[in-house]
Amino acid sequence: MELEKYNPASAATLLGEIEKFCLSKGIILQRNSNSKIADKNWIRKFIIQTDAPPFYLEINSPSDIEKINGDLNERLENLQRKVKNFLQNNGAMNKNLQDKINTLGNKLLDTAKRYIKFGLKNSLQRELKNCNNIEDLRDAAGKCYGEFIKKELLERVFRPLYDELRQKPNDAAYSWLLNGLNQILASLGVMTVNVKIGGRYDENQPYIPAEKFITSNPQEKDIICAVVRYAYAFTNERIISEGKLIVAKFQQGGAK
């Protein structure tokens, strides 16, 4: 029987499928560090698409808050358990990387859980005092839960992940953790707000131009060049956190 000739493209595809399968089991394959190819689409790993309704719309009375908070706490604890198993299954991982994954996926989630127990509970009690109907109740709850997600998850955990994956776009450990966090947000009815690269920047979008790309072509003025960080919103379009973009700025003669 004639053996099939070695095909580098097929081998790379197969390796990718093997890595994907192992990663789903919480195991990272060690690859040759000399053969890394930067993932130019790393930012797309942060995209969350979901049809799940905002979880706070399940609230019908103030007595439902305790159950909702308990469910939220359980989601975080489930991820913490997965992170601990993940680190145990990857004992050969760089110690510095282990510490960062443990901080982002375990210690900071402990902080978030404490906030649920004390800070979030107190803010909900304050906001719900003046509610006269279910609509007011849900609106007040959405405000409090949105602030929790923004402060305790997006700013404390996601922002460092953006920075780490920007520097190490191929890192499987950070990608694994991000996937787990994205699943939590999706289950809560949280999505990233779509933005079109190459489209014209619109101030009505929940994005701000954090950085500017200087262009000498006036037709490129206000063109969106790249996403620095995505905006997040509940699926009923209630904005949780603004995103940041790189936007083209026209300057006669271009950059100096």
Side-chain angles (χ1 to χ4, degrees):
M1 182 178 69
E2 185 178 355
L3 294 176
E4 185 177 341
K5 289 185 179 180
Y6 173 74
N7 185 326
S10 298
T13 300
L14 177 61
L15 179 58
E17 290 300 317
I18 293 172
E19 284 185 323
K20 185 177 179 181
F21 172 78
C22 291
L23 196 54
S24 70
K25 304 297 181 182
I27 300 171
I28 295 177
L29 295 181
Q30 299 298 317
R31 298 189 70 172
N32 186 342
S33 60
N34 295 324
S35 62
K36 290 181 178 177
I37 300 174
D39 180 3
K40 295 181 181 179
N41 295 316
W42 67 270
I43 192 75
R44 296 185 59 80
K45 296 176 183 179
F46 286 85
I47 293 176
I48 302 173
Q49 295 177 322
T50 179
D51 294 324
F55 71 109
Y56 62 84
L57 295 183
E58 298 174 9
I59 297 173
N60 293 306
S61 71
S63 61
D64 293 332
I65 295 294
E66 188 173 347
K67 179 183 182 301
I68 294 289
N69 286 357
D71 290 345
L72 183 55
N73 193 78
E74 181 60 27
R75 284 182 170 96
L76 298 181
E77 286 186 345
N78 283 338
L79 180 57
Q80 286 181 300
R81 286 191 286 269
K82 291 178 181 179
V83 167
K84 290 174 182 177
N85 290 334
F86 179 85
L87 293 173
Q88 289 175 358
N89 291 335
N90 294 279
M93 187 188 300
N94 176 279
K95 180 65 167 59
N96 184 50
L97 180 56
Q98 282 190 18
D99 290 342
K100 287 184 177 180
I101 294 296
N102 186 49
T103 295
L104 294 172
N106 187 28
K107 292 181 179 179
L108 288 178
L109 295 190
D110 274 336
T111 303
K113 283 158 48 182
R114 283 195 294 273
Y115 185 83
I116 292 173
K117 188 174 182 180
F118 300 107
L120 180 57
K121 182 179 179 179
N122 291 336
S123 64
L124 281 166
Q125 288 175 345
R126 285 195 305 272
E127 291 291 334
L128 300 186
K129 280 182 180 178
N130 301 318
C131 295
N132 300 314
N133 51 53
I134 292 178
E135 287 71 26
D136 288 347
L137 185 69
R138 290 173 176 173
D139 185 65
K143 176 184 175 183
C144 293
Y145 285 118
E147 289 174 351
F148 162 75
I149 291 169
K150 178 181 178 180
K151 178 182 177 183
E152 298 298 327
L153 298 180
L154 297 179
E155 292 183 359
R156 289 185 184 273
V157 182
F158 274 77
R159 185 172 293 185
L161 271 175
Y162 274 100
D163 293 338
E164 293 294 347
L165 279 167
R166 184 175 288 109
Q167 298 175 46
K168 308 178 190 75
N170 291 330
D171 193 284
Y174 287 125
S175 298
W176 177 86
L177 177 58
L178 174 61
N179 184 58
L181 289 162
N182 280 349
Q183 287 179 18
I184 289 178
L185 291 190
S187 72
L188 298 175
V190 176
M191 64 180 185
T192 47
V193 180
N194 187 40
V195 63
K196 184 180 179 181
I197 305 300
R200 193 78 61 180
Y201 174 67
D202 182 352
E203 291 183 354
N204 293 320
Q205 294 175 314
Y207 283 92
I208 57 175
E211 301 178 39
K212 292 183 173 64
F213 171 76
I214 304 300
T215 176
S216 59
N217 184 348
Q219 294 183 345
E220 294 177 349
K221 181 178 180 291
D222 292 334
I223 291 295
I224 298 171
C225 303
V227 175
V228 176
R229 195 160 60 242
Y230 281 103
Y232 291 80
F234 287 112
T235 48
N236 61 358
E237 299 185 353
R238 184 183 194 125
I239 302 300
I240 298 172
S241 177
E242 286 185 323
K244 293 186 176 182
L245 304 170
I246 297 177
V247 179
K249 178 185 178 182
F250 170 69
Q251 182 173 301
Q252 193 72 40
K256 304 297 183 182

